[in-house]
Amino acid sequence: MRSFLALSMLVALAGGIWALQYLFHQAPPAKTIPDFSSLHGYCAHINAIQPSEYVSRQKKLAGTLPESAAYIMEPGPTMTYYTNIEWSLTERPFLVMLVADASQPSGIKTIVVTPMFEATRAVEAIEDANLPDEIQPHIVEWIEHKSPYEVAAQVLSEERVDAVFIEPTIRLFIFDGLSRVTPGVQIASRALQTLRMIKSAAELDILRCANRATEEAIRQVRPHVKVGMTEGDIATIMTRALTTAGLTNTWVLALIDENAAFPHGEPGQTKKVGKDSTVLIDTGGELKNYQSDTTRTFFLGNREDHNQTIVDAWYLVKRAQENVLSLGHAGSTCAEIDLSARRIITTAGYGHYFTHRLGHGIGEEMHEEPYMNQGNTDLVLQPGMTFSVEPGIYVPREFGIRLEDIVVVNEEGQLEVLTSGLADNPWTLE
């Protein structure tokens, strides 16, 4: 009987809590995940980078490298860009050396320098790379009681290399080791670095679908954001939408009201959605090794009841985006792109609250060159370059607004949005 009475009391208590939450329009405690099945297979028609493209990439590299030169890199995006070889960074150097060689079908001789005990795994990594016949990597092993840098230097000498370029992100101890045994080691030139910034049609197909899927996922999540939800609750359903759309390695930054004044979050105190809240979602994921990154800020409640200052700020940020699309073109410097947005926000009196660069390049990495900032006066936009346009206004302890879309410099030299379009309004995002 006591058990029955206790159970009855618990049921009544739960029912009372639910009723109160219903009356006050609070989200129920049960974490019901909405159905996002319409997103399933969103990018199923998109192909990964095909083997033949690695030949094209190496040919462009061969056309940019000086004669008798080599380009050396560690595991990371540049290595996968040219060889599709995946490897993890450790304290033991694993290097790919791309040597200019006119006798090779791609114009490049691909040499892999690996620890001896990892040689078998290196062979497997090369097999998994599924490279075309035109690219046949040559493996060179180094044993651990000897110097990997001396082994690399010996190879370079045998290949008669007299100019050595290294990937800018190479670790200092690798740079130091190579410099000690190979004179004239230098950071890759701007021309070499620019090759990876210019995306091919296949890369753009992946980036376009990844970012459209992300934008559509935000659009579908928007109606499910309810009063009483936490930032974590929003992130949970956002993650479900992204993964349903086929994205992997997803991430979500969800911020509510004054917490959105922290551009990258971590405000220290989580918030819950109120009836007139401002919600910022910055999110993305990976599709076939390429990244998405989209931000939308939207409002809950009735239009006539919302804080007009915040509403005006939203439309000001959108106008800054529109100005970039209108004025930006091939030949513009990255600094000019940043300033075309910044001037709009500064003229309206919010310049002090636009605290970060306008945008970043995107591809295999979520943040890569080119970077849109006022100091980047030398780098000029070229067709195929992709980057984010994400102006923002962040008023501490009050509100934050950011809108972000990925754009490409198209073949006509104009900026083209890779999402389906800029957000139209802060209530429906249509």
Side-chain angles (χ1 to χ4, degrees), residues 123-134:
V123 171
E124 291 180 351
I126 291 170
E127 291 173 350
D128 291 343
N130 191 32
L131 291 166
D133 293 340
E134 293 91 334

Side-chain angles (χ1 to χ4, degrees), residues 350-367:
Y350 282 102
H352 182 68
Y353 300 107
F354 182 9
T355 53
H356 55 71
R357 66 192 176 210
L358 175 68
H360 54 82
I362 189 168
E364 289 186 281
E365 298 174 279
M366 189 175 66
H367 288 189

Side-chain angles (χ1 to χ4, degrees), residues 27-155:
K31 300 297 189 295
T32 303
I33 302 297
D35 178 18
F36 297 117
S37 57
S38 63
L39 291 170
H40 184 72
Y42 194 94
C43 293
H45 62 291
I46 298 297
N47 293 319
I49 298 300
Q50 297 301 295
S52 61
E53 183 147 332
Y54 295 99
V55 179
S56 300
R57 293 173 178 180
Q58 290 202 1
K59 284 182 176 180
K60 289 178 182 177
L61 176 62
T64 306
L65 272 176
E67 291 184 13
S68 304
Y71 190 13
I72 300 178
M73 58 207 62
E74 286 197 274
T78 301
M79 181 183 289
T80 57
Y81 181 81
Y82 287 111
T83 70
N84 202 30
I85 296 172
E86 300 276 359
W87 199 267
S88 298
L89 288 173
T90 73
E91 76 280 9
R92 296 180 175 93
F94 179 95
L95 305 174
V96 163
M97 303 194 296
L98 302 177
V99 180
D101 185 345
S103 70
Q104 299 293 318
S106 69
I108 293 291
K109 185 173 184 178
T110 303
I111 301 170
V112 176
V113 180
T114 178
M116 180 180 289
F117 83 100
E118 295 276 36
T120 301
R121 191 161 73 90
V123 171
E124 291 180 351
I126 291 170
E127 291 173 350
D128 291 343
N130 191 32
L131 291 166
D133 293 340
E134 293 91 334
I135 301 175
Q136 296 291 330
H138 175 63
I139 294 179
V140 176
E141 303 170 8
W142 61 272
I143 193 165
E144 290 195 73
H145 64 276
K146 295 187 177 180
S147 167
Y149 311 111
E150 291 180 358
V151 172
Q154 179 63 34
V155 172

Side-chain angles (χ1 to χ4, degrees), residues 83-360:
T83 70
N84 202 30
I85 296 172
E86 300 276 359
W87 199 267
S88 298
L89 288 173
T90 73
E91 76 280 9
R92 296 180 175 93
F94 179 95
L95 305 174
V96 163
M97 303 194 296
L98 302 177
V99 180
D101 185 345
S103 70
Q104 299 293 318
S106 69
I108 293 291
K109 185 173 184 178
T110 303
I111 301 170
V112 176
V113 180
T114 178
M116 180 180 289
F117 83 100
E118 295 276 36
T120 301
R121 191 161 73 90
V123 171
E124 291 180 351
I126 291 170
E127 291 173 350
D128 291 343
N130 191 32
L131 291 166
D133 293 340
E134 293 91 334
I135 301 175
Q136 296 291 330
H138 175 63
I139 294 179
V140 176
E141 303 170 8
W142 61 272
I143 193 165
E144 290 195 73
H145 64 276
K146 295 187 177 180
S147 167
Y149 311 111
E150 291 180 358
V151 172
Q154 179 63 34
V155 172
L156 294 172
S157 176
E158 291 171 358
E159 297 295 330
R160 299 184 179 181
V161 170
D162 57 22
V164 177
F165 299 93
I166 60 169
E167 173 64 14
T169 57
I170 206 164
R171 291 174 293 177
L172 179 59
F173 76 90
I174 302 288
F175 171 74
D176 182 65
L178 288 170
S179 298
R180 289 175 184 274
V181 295
T182 306
V185 175
Q186 55 190 305
I187 297 295
S189 65
R190 172 60 75 186
L192 288 174
Q193 294 180 50
T194 301
L195 292 175
R196 194 159 70 87
M197 296 183 213
I198 298 174
K199 305 304 190 277
S200 68
E203 289 179 289
L204 290 175
D205 284 345
I206 299 171
L207 285 167
R208 184 177 287 106
C209 199
N211 283 280
R212 288 189 177 182
T214 302
E215 180 203 16
E216 181 59 26
I218 298 174
R219 230 185 266 273
Q220 292 202 22
V221 163
R222 162 67 187 89
H224 298 287
V225 175
K226 305 293 185 183
V227 172
M229 293 179 73
T230 66
E231 291 158 333
D233 294 333
I234 297 171
T236 296
I237 62 172
M238 190 70 234
T239 299
R240 172 63 65 88
L242 294 169
T243 55
T244 302
L247 300 184
T248 59
N249 297 324
T250 60
W251 54 274
V252 181
L253 175 66
L255 299 168
I256 299 169
D257 294 327
E258 63 266 30
N259 279 359
F262 294 85
H264 273 173
E266 299 188 20
Q269 183 175 353
T270 60
K271 292 278 295 180
K272 288 187 176 183
V273 177
K275 65 182 181 65
D276 296 313
S277 277
T278 298
V279 178
L280 184 154
I281 298 179
D282 185 351
T283 187
E286 185 174 299
L287 177 68
K288 303 188 186 301
N289 293 329
Y290 285 79
Q291 307 301 315
S292 69
D293 187 6
T294 302
T295 304
R296 292 291 184 263
T297 304
F298 55 86
F299 305 152
L300 273 69
N302 299 319
R303 300 188 183 209
E304 58 272 15
D305 295 334
H306 211 81
N307 184 313
Q308 192 59 44
T309 298
I310 301 177
V311 173
D312 291 344
W314 191 97
Y315 282 102
L316 180 62
V317 170
K318 184 188 175 185
R319 192 146 53 86
Q321 277 193 308
E322 292 171 334
N323 205 48
V324 172
L325 296 179
S326 174
L327 299 181
H329 56 82
S332 299
T333 67
C334 295
E336 289 169 339
I337 296 297
D338 178 282
L339 289 168
S340 66
R342 197 168 301 278
R343 289 191 186 102
I344 296 294
I345 291 174
T346 300
T347 300
Y350 282 102
H352 182 68
Y353 300 107
F354 182 9
T355 53
H356 55 71
R357 66 192 176 210
L358 175 68
H360 54 82

